[in-house]
Amino acid sequence: MANVNTSSGKTRRAEIAGGGFAGLTAAIALRQNGWDVRLHEKSAELRAFGAGIYLWHNGLRVLEGLGALDEVLQGSHTPPTYETWMHNKSVSKETFNGLPWRVMTRSHLHDALVNRARALGVDIRANSEAVAADPEGRLTLQTGEVLEADLIVGADGVGSKVRDSIGFKQDRWISKDGLIRLIVPRMKKELGHGEWDNTIDMWNFWPRVQRILYSPCNENELYLGLMAPAADPRGSRVPIDLEVWVEMFPFLEPCLIEAAKLQTARYDKYETTKLDSWTRGKVALVGDAAHAMCPALAQGAGCAMVNAFSLSQDLEAGSSVEDALVAWETRIRPITDRCQALSGDYAANRSLSKGNMFTPAALEAARYDPLRRVFSWPQ
């Protein structure tokens, strides 16, 4: 682990608000570079919210840089193809020209990051909620304690108190559609004949708009993303309305029966947040606090992890923290902005239903290699 000292000879300290993927990535990357790092999670324990998750080449390279890739590869899955169906008929199969991608449960990824953070000596504080920060490098906790640091990272989600306490200018909008995300048993034997190792993006526009993103995570677990308009009371109901989903997707009935048993299911509308800036003084925002995006391109976590990892890279340039944060945003933000905009456009127009929509532009963020800082995969 490198020594990171200020001009006074002291090791630099980072206070991080939020124990999700972005916060943990920032914590690990900074710690690997010799920072003293304390991470604050408002919940009683560190755990992942949600169900399944996709990581592409960019996110997998971050895991490699963090020393967590091998653990994540064990217990995750790369489907042979990304298949799109319209009204239960296949319209495309995409393999992305060999671009690496992986499907897993969110808890599997989160556990690997927590394990790595603890192994490196990151000071993890549960039941510790950050409620405010200031650009001079102070983080205020709910207890009233004020902590001083060389760097404050706001990774506290779409409702970020770090962000809102400073007053970043933001635009936020909610889409017409949303998702119910669930993990259920694979039920391959019960499903019978079919290419059930593929990701299958199943769309229906008649007699109502309903979509299921069928995503195997490993041999035993299946991630289901059930999409319906927020205005549809039956499609957006949780626990799920078994009858309305089986009517549209009868071949998935064994899995949907399991999904209907999950009382903790929730329906989340697609939400987008765009800020005028990600930085202010010694404060940097990462993840959904900075750039919440629609899930159409499956890059929310990937961009969050790339940006958090890249932050640690730019802080090693030798300039002041304030200058390094400005340079970091200037360098890395355009990729995220383009991904966020296209993802929002795809979600608004339900473009993925056409098939073959993972164009070079759609895969730009996925192709980025944060270790080499280049787009390393051919289009």
PDB file of all heavy atoms in Angstrom, residues 57 95-100 358-361 363-364 366-369 372 374-379:
ATOM      1  N   HIS A  57     -17.629  -4.774 -19.155  1.00  0.00           N
ATOM      2  CA  HIS A  57     -16.171  -4.690 -19.174  1.00  0.00           C
ATOM      3  C   HIS A  57     -15.645  -3.595 -18.247  1.00  0.00           C
ATOM      4  O   HIS A  57     -14.683  -3.816 -17.492  1.00  0.00           O
ATOM      5  CB  HIS A  57     -15.727  -4.431 -20.613  1.00  0.00           C
ATOM      6  CG  HIS A  57     -14.284  -4.126 -20.803  1.00  0.00           C
ATOM      7  ND1 HIS A  57     -13.275  -5.014 -20.526  1.00  0.00           N
ATOM      8  CD2 HIS A  57     -13.669  -3.004 -21.272  1.00  0.00           C
ATOM      9  CE1 HIS A  57     -12.104  -4.472 -20.804  1.00  0.00           C
ATOM     10  NE2 HIS A  57     -12.311  -3.254 -21.254  1.00  0.00           N
ATOM     11  N   THR A  95     -24.281 -10.735 -28.945  1.00  0.00           N
ATOM     12  CA  THR A  95     -23.134 -11.223 -28.170  1.00  0.00           C
ATOM     13  C   THR A  95     -22.084 -10.139 -27.957  1.00  0.00           C
ATOM     14  O   THR A  95     -21.049 -10.395 -27.347  1.00  0.00           O
ATOM     15  CB  THR A  95     -22.489 -12.430 -28.867  1.00  0.00           C
ATOM     16  OG1 THR A  95     -22.073 -12.051 -30.180  1.00  0.00           O
ATOM     17  CG2 THR A  95     -23.470 -13.600 -28.956  1.00  0.00           C
ATOM     18  N   PHE A  96     -22.309  -8.936 -28.466  1.00  0.00           N
ATOM     19  CA  PHE A  96     -21.473  -7.758 -28.193  1.00  0.00           C
ATOM     20  C   PHE A  96     -20.024  -7.936 -28.641  1.00  0.00           C
ATOM     21  O   PHE A  96     -19.109  -7.374 -28.042  1.00  0.00           O
ATOM     22  CB  PHE A  96     -21.526  -7.401 -26.702  1.00  0.00           C
ATOM     23  CG  PHE A  96     -22.913  -7.488 -26.109  1.00  0.00           C
ATOM     24  CD1 PHE A  96     -23.190  -8.359 -25.064  1.00  0.00           C
ATOM     25  CD2 PHE A  96     -23.928  -6.700 -26.617  1.00  0.00           C
ATOM     26  CE1 PHE A  96     -24.468  -8.451 -24.538  1.00  0.00           C
ATOM     27  CE2 PHE A  96     -25.219  -6.786 -26.086  1.00  0.00           C
ATOM     28  CZ  PHE A  96     -25.492  -7.670 -25.041  1.00  0.00           C
ATOM     29  N   ASN A  97     -19.826  -8.730 -29.688  1.00  0.00           N
ATOM     30  CA  ASN A  97     -18.481  -8.942 -30.246  1.00  0.00           C
ATOM     31  C   ASN A  97     -17.470  -9.386 -29.187  1.00  0.00           C
ATOM     32  O   ASN A  97     -16.295  -9.023 -29.244  1.00  0.00           O
ATOM     33  CB  ASN A  97     -17.985  -7.665 -30.936  1.00  0.00           C
ATOM     34  CG  ASN A  97     -18.783  -7.326 -32.178  1.00  0.00           C
ATOM     35  OD1 ASN A  97     -19.149  -8.208 -32.945  1.00  0.00           O
ATOM     36  ND2 ASN A  97     -19.087  -6.048 -32.364  1.00  0.00           N
ATOM     37  N   GLY A  98     -17.946 -10.170 -28.239  1.00  0.00           N
ATOM     38  CA  GLY A  98     -17.045 -10.702 -27.224  1.00  0.00           C
ATOM     39  C   GLY A  98     -16.765  -9.780 -26.055  1.00  0.00           C
ATOM     40  O   GLY A  98     -15.945 -10.105 -25.183  1.00  0.00           O
ATOM     41  N   LEU A  99     -17.417  -8.617 -26.000  1.00  0.00           N
ATOM     42  CA  LEU A  99     -17.234  -7.704 -24.873  1.00  0.00           C
ATOM     43  C   LEU A  99     -17.634  -8.408 -23.575  1.00  0.00           C
ATOM     44  O   LEU A  99     -18.729  -8.957 -23.481  1.00  0.00           O
ATOM     45  CB  LEU A  99     -18.096  -6.459 -25.076  1.00  0.00           C
ATOM     46  CG  LEU A  99     -17.965  -5.359 -24.035  1.00  0.00           C
ATOM     47  CD1 LEU A  99     -16.640  -4.627 -24.191  1.00  0.00           C
ATOM     48  CD2 LEU A  99     -19.131  -4.373 -24.155  1.00  0.00           C
ATOM     49  N   PRO A 100     -16.760  -8.429 -22.563  1.00  0.00           N
ATOM     50  CA  PRO A 100     -17.102  -9.128 -21.322  1.00  0.00           C
ATOM     51  C   PRO A 100     -18.293  -8.489 -20.604  1.00  0.00           C
ATOM     52  O   PRO A 100     -18.413  -7.259 -20.539  1.00  0.00           O
ATOM     53  CB  PRO A 100     -15.820  -8.991 -20.481  1.00  0.00           C
ATOM     54  CG  PRO A 100     -14.737  -8.745 -21.473  1.00  0.00           C
ATOM     55  CD  PRO A 100     -15.374  -7.932 -22.557  1.00  0.00           C
ATOM     56  N   PHE A 358     -27.967  -2.608 -28.773  1.00  0.00           N
ATOM     57  CA  PHE A 358     -26.687  -2.347 -28.117  1.00  0.00           C
ATOM     58  C   PHE A 358     -25.667  -1.946 -29.178  1.00  0.00           C
ATOM     59  O   PHE A 358     -24.773  -2.695 -29.545  1.00  0.00           O
ATOM     60  CB  PHE A 358     -26.241  -3.556 -27.288  1.00  0.00           C
ATOM     61  CG  PHE A 358     -26.992  -3.678 -25.990  1.00  0.00           C
ATOM     62  CD1 PHE A 358     -28.114  -4.492 -25.901  1.00  0.00           C
ATOM     63  CD2 PHE A 358     -26.603  -2.954 -24.877  1.00  0.00           C
ATOM     64  CE1 PHE A 358     -28.830  -4.593 -24.707  1.00  0.00           C
ATOM     65  CE2 PHE A 358     -27.310  -3.048 -23.678  1.00  0.00           C
ATOM     66  CZ  PHE A 358     -28.424  -3.864 -23.601  1.00  0.00           C
ATOM     67  N   THR A 359     -25.871  -0.753 -29.681  1.00  0.00           N
ATOM     68  CA  THR A 359     -25.047  -0.169 -30.735  1.00  0.00           C
ATOM     69  C   THR A 359     -23.695   0.254 -30.146  1.00  0.00           C
ATOM     70  O   THR A 359     -23.510   0.259 -28.929  1.00  0.00           O
ATOM     71  CB  THR A 359     -25.756   1.059 -31.308  1.00  0.00           C
ATOM     72  OG1 THR A 359     -25.904   2.015 -30.235  1.00  0.00           O
ATOM     73  CG2 THR A 359     -27.133   0.696 -31.854  1.00  0.00           C
ATOM     74  N   PRO A 360     -22.737   0.654 -30.992  1.00  0.00           N
ATOM     75  CA  PRO A 360     -21.484   1.189 -30.452  1.00  0.00           C
ATOM     76  C   PRO A 360     -21.691   2.344 -29.482  1.00  0.00           C
ATOM     77  O   PRO A 360     -21.014   2.441 -28.465  1.00  0.00           O
ATOM     78  CB  PRO A 360     -20.731   1.625 -31.712  1.00  0.00           C
ATOM     79  CG  PRO A 360     -21.207   0.664 -32.766  1.00  0.00           C
ATOM     80  CD  PRO A 360     -22.651   0.440 -32.457  1.00  0.00           C
ATOM     81  N   ALA A 361     -22.648   3.223 -29.774  1.00  0.00           N
ATOM     82  CA  ALA A 361     -22.925   4.331 -28.850  1.00  0.00           C
ATOM     83  C   ALA A 361     -23.470   3.812 -27.518  1.00  0.00           C
ATOM     84  O   ALA A 361     -23.110   4.313 -26.446  1.00  0.00           O
ATOM     85  CB  ALA A 361     -23.906   5.307 -29.489  1.00  0.00           C
ATOM     86  N   LEU A 363     -22.862   1.024 -26.140  1.00  0.00           N
ATOM     87  CA  LEU A 363     -21.829   0.273 -25.423  1.00  0.00           C
ATOM     88  C   LEU A 363     -20.588   1.112 -25.123  1.00  0.00           C
ATOM     89  O   LEU A 363     -19.581   0.572 -24.658  1.00  0.00           O
ATOM     90  CB  LEU A 363     -21.423  -0.967 -26.227  1.00  0.00           C
ATOM     91  CG  LEU A 363     -22.483  -2.067 -26.321  1.00  0.00           C
ATOM     92  CD1 LEU A 363     -22.028  -3.154 -27.288  1.00  0.00           C
ATOM     93  CD2 LEU A 363     -22.777  -2.676 -24.951  1.00  0.00           C
ATOM     94  N   GLU A 364     -20.659   2.419 -25.355  1.00  0.00           N
ATOM     95  CA  GLU A 364     -19.476   3.248 -25.133  1.00  0.00           C
ATOM     96  C   GLU A 364     -18.964   3.134 -23.704  1.00  0.00           C
ATOM     97  O   GLU A 364     -17.770   2.892 -23.467  1.00  0.00           O
ATOM     98  CB  GLU A 364     -19.781   4.710 -25.435  1.00  0.00           C
ATOM     99  CG  GLU A 364     -18.562   5.611 -25.221  1.00  0.00           C
ATOM    100  CD  GLU A 364     -18.903   7.087 -25.138  1.00  0.00           C
ATOM    101  OE1 GLU A 364     -20.072   7.432 -24.859  1.00  0.00           O
ATOM    102  OE2 GLU A 364     -17.975   7.904 -25.334  1.00  0.00           O
ATOM    103  N   ALA A 366     -19.534   0.822 -21.523  1.00  0.00           N
ATOM    104  CA  ALA A 366     -19.122  -0.557 -21.253  1.00  0.00           C
ATOM    105  C   ALA A 366     -17.725  -0.838 -21.786  1.00  0.00           C
ATOM    106  O   ALA A 366     -16.981  -1.642 -21.214  1.00  0.00           O
ATOM    107  CB  ALA A 366     -20.121  -1.533 -21.875  1.00  0.00           C
ATOM    108  N   ARG A 367     -17.332  -0.185 -22.882  1.00  0.00           N
ATOM    109  CA  ARG A 367     -16.040  -0.430 -23.509  1.00  0.00           C
ATOM    110  C   ARG A 367     -14.891   0.272 -22.797  1.00  0.00           C
ATOM    111  O   ARG A 367     -13.720  -0.030 -23.051  1.00  0.00           O
ATOM    112  CB  ARG A 367     -16.074   0.028 -24.970  1.00  0.00           C
ATOM    113  CG  ARG A 367     -16.948  -0.815 -25.889  1.00  0.00           C
ATOM    114  CD  ARG A 367     -17.026  -0.215 -27.287  1.00  0.00           C
ATOM    115  NE  ARG A 367     -15.726   0.215 -27.755  1.00  0.00           N
ATOM    116  CZ  ARG A 367     -15.392   1.478 -28.042  1.00  0.00           C
ATOM    117  NH1 ARG A 367     -16.282   2.454 -27.895  1.00  0.00           N
ATOM    118  NH2 ARG A 367     -14.181   1.781 -28.453  1.00  0.00           N
ATOM    119  N   TYR A 368     -15.193   1.197 -21.913  1.00  0.00           N
ATOM    120  CA  TYR A 368     -14.129   1.975 -21.274  1.00  0.00           C
ATOM    121  C   TYR A 368     -13.324   1.106 -20.307  1.00  0.00           C
ATOM    122  O   TYR A 368     -13.890   0.331 -19.539  1.00  0.00           O
ATOM    123  CB  TYR A 368     -14.731   3.163 -20.528  1.00  0.00           C
ATOM    124  CG  TYR A 368     -13.688   4.045 -19.882  1.00  0.00           C
ATOM    125  CD1 TYR A 368     -12.822   4.820 -20.651  1.00  0.00           C
ATOM    126  CD2 TYR A 368     -13.553   4.092 -18.499  1.00  0.00           C
ATOM    127  CE1 TYR A 368     -11.863   5.625 -20.067  1.00  0.00           C
ATOM    128  CE2 TYR A 368     -12.605   4.893 -17.899  1.00  0.00           C
ATOM    129  CZ  TYR A 368     -11.762   5.654 -18.680  1.00  0.00           C
ATOM    130  OH  TYR A 368     -10.802   6.444 -18.093  1.00  0.00           O
ATOM    131  N   ASP A 369     -12.020   1.242 -20.364  1.00  0.00           N
ATOM    132  CA  ASP A 369     -11.123   0.506 -19.465  1.00  0.00           C
ATOM    133  C   ASP A 369     -10.539   1.505 -18.462  1.00  0.00           C
ATOM    134  O   ASP A 369      -9.638   2.271 -18.800  1.00  0.00           O
ATOM    135  CB  ASP A 369      -9.999  -0.155 -20.263  1.00  0.00           C
ATOM    136  CG  ASP A 369      -9.087  -1.017 -19.392  1.00  0.00           C
ATOM    137  OD1 ASP A 369      -9.049  -0.804 -18.162  1.00  0.00           O
ATOM    138  OD2 ASP A 369      -8.408  -1.899 -19.941  1.00  0.00           O
ATOM    139  N   ARG A 372      -6.594   1.374 -17.841  1.00  0.00           N
ATOM    140  CA  ARG A 372      -5.735   1.944 -18.882  1.00  0.00           C
ATOM    141  C   ARG A 372      -6.197   3.327 -19.328  1.00  0.00           C
ATOM    142  O   ARG A 372      -5.502   4.012 -20.062  1.00  0.00           O
ATOM    143  CB  ARG A 372      -5.704   1.000 -20.092  1.00  0.00           C
ATOM    144  CG  ARG A 372      -5.101  -0.369 -19.798  1.00  0.00           C
ATOM    145  CD  ARG A 372      -5.175  -1.266 -21.021  1.00  0.00           C
ATOM    146  NE  ARG A 372      -4.519  -0.643 -22.172  1.00  0.00           N
ATOM    147  CZ  ARG A 372      -4.810  -0.902 -23.446  1.00  0.00           C
ATOM    148  NH1 ARG A 372      -5.779  -1.755 -23.731  1.00  0.00           N
ATOM    149  NH2 ARG A 372      -4.161  -0.317 -24.419  1.00  0.00           N
ATOM    150  N   VAL A 374      -8.606   4.094 -21.397  1.00  0.00           N
ATOM    151  CA  VAL A 374      -8.876   4.132 -22.840  1.00  0.00           C
ATOM    152  C   VAL A 374     -10.104   3.278 -23.138  1.00  0.00           C
ATOM    153  O   VAL A 374     -10.545   2.487 -22.307  1.00  0.00           O
ATOM    154  CB  VAL A 374      -7.687   3.591 -23.668  1.00  0.00           C
ATOM    155  CG1 VAL A 374      -6.453   4.450 -23.464  1.00  0.00           C
ATOM    156  CG2 VAL A 374      -7.375   2.130 -23.294  1.00  0.00           C
ATOM    157  N   PHE A 375     -10.652   3.443 -24.340  1.00  0.00           N
ATOM    158  CA  PHE A 375     -11.691   2.554 -24.817  1.00  0.00           C
ATOM    159  C   PHE A 375     -11.001   1.378 -25.480  1.00  0.00           C
ATOM    160  O   PHE A 375     -10.557   1.457 -26.635  1.00  0.00           O
ATOM    161  CB  PHE A 375     -12.625   3.287 -25.789  1.00  0.00           C
ATOM    162  CG  PHE A 375     -13.398   4.377 -25.129  1.00  0.00           C
ATOM    163  CD1 PHE A 375     -12.956   5.690 -25.146  1.00  0.00           C
ATOM    164  CD2 PHE A 375     -14.585   4.093 -24.461  1.00  0.00           C
ATOM    165  CE1 PHE A 375     -13.658   6.705 -24.524  1.00  0.00           C
ATOM    166  CE2 PHE A 375     -15.300   5.097 -23.837  1.00  0.00           C
ATOM    167  CZ  PHE A 375     -14.835   6.396 -23.867  1.00  0.00           C
ATOM    168  N   SER A 376     -10.888   0.290 -24.734  1.00  0.00           N
ATOM    169  CA  SER A 376      -9.957  -0.761 -25.140  1.00  0.00           C
ATOM    170  C   SER A 376     -10.592  -1.879 -25.929  1.00  0.00           C
ATOM    171  O   SER A 376      -9.891  -2.768 -26.400  1.00  0.00           O
ATOM    172  CB  SER A 376      -9.299  -1.364 -23.888  1.00  0.00           C
ATOM    173  OG  SER A 376     -10.274  -1.998 -23.081  1.00  0.00           O
ATOM    174  N   TRP A 377     -11.913  -1.855 -26.087  1.00  0.00           N
ATOM    175  CA  TRP A 377     -12.561  -2.967 -26.790  1.00  0.00           C
ATOM    176  C   TRP A 377     -13.050  -2.499 -28.133  1.00  0.00           C
ATOM    177  O   TRP A 377     -13.618  -1.415 -28.240  1.00  0.00           O
ATOM    178  CB  TRP A 377     -13.716  -3.522 -25.954  1.00  0.00           C
ATOM    179  CG  TRP A 377     -13.990  -4.960 -26.252  1.00  0.00           C
ATOM    180  CD1 TRP A 377     -14.905  -5.456 -27.110  1.00  0.00           C
ATOM    181  CD2 TRP A 377     -13.292  -6.071 -25.699  1.00  0.00           C
ATOM    182  NE1 TRP A 377     -14.831  -6.827 -27.133  1.00  0.00           N
ATOM    183  CE2 TRP A 377     -13.855  -7.243 -26.272  1.00  0.00           C
ATOM    184  CE3 TRP A 377     -12.263  -6.213 -24.790  1.00  0.00           C
ATOM    185  CZ2 TRP A 377     -13.423  -8.519 -25.954  1.00  0.00           C
ATOM    186  CZ3 TRP A 377     -11.822  -7.487 -24.466  1.00  0.00           C
ATOM    187  CH2 TRP A 377     -12.404  -8.619 -25.054  1.00  0.00           C
ATOM    188  N   PRO A 378     -12.862  -3.268 -29.193  1.00  0.00           N
ATOM    189  CA  PRO A 378     -13.326  -2.819 -30.512  1.00  0.00           C
ATOM    190  C   PRO A 378     -14.840  -2.690 -30.557  1.00  0.00           C
ATOM    191  O   PRO A 378     -15.555  -3.409 -29.862  1.00  0.00           O
ATOM    192  CB  PRO A 378     -12.833  -3.922 -31.448  1.00  0.00           C
ATOM    193  CG  PRO A 378     -12.640  -5.131 -30.573  1.00  0.00           C
ATOM    194  CD  PRO A 378     -12.214  -4.605 -29.233  1.00  0.00           C
ATOM    195  N   GLN A 379     -15.314  -1.799 -31.387  1.00  0.00           N
ATOM    196  CA  GLN A 379     -16.754  -1.614 -31.541  1.00  0.00           C
ATOM    197  C   GLN A 379     -17.361  -2.744 -32.344  1.00  0.00           C
ATOM    198  O   GLN A 379     -16.699  -3.355 -33.140  1.00  0.00           O
ATOM    199  CB  GLN A 379     -17.037  -0.287 -32.226  1.00  0.00           C
ATOM    200  CG  GLN A 379     -16.593   0.923 -31.397  1.00  0.00           C
ATOM    201  CD  GLN A 379     -17.048   2.227 -32.029  1.00  0.00           C
ATOM    202  OE1 GLN A 379     -17.902   2.270 -32.893  1.00  0.00           O
ATOM    203  NE2 GLN A 379     -16.448   3.322 -31.573  1.00  0.00           N
TER     204      GLN A 379
END
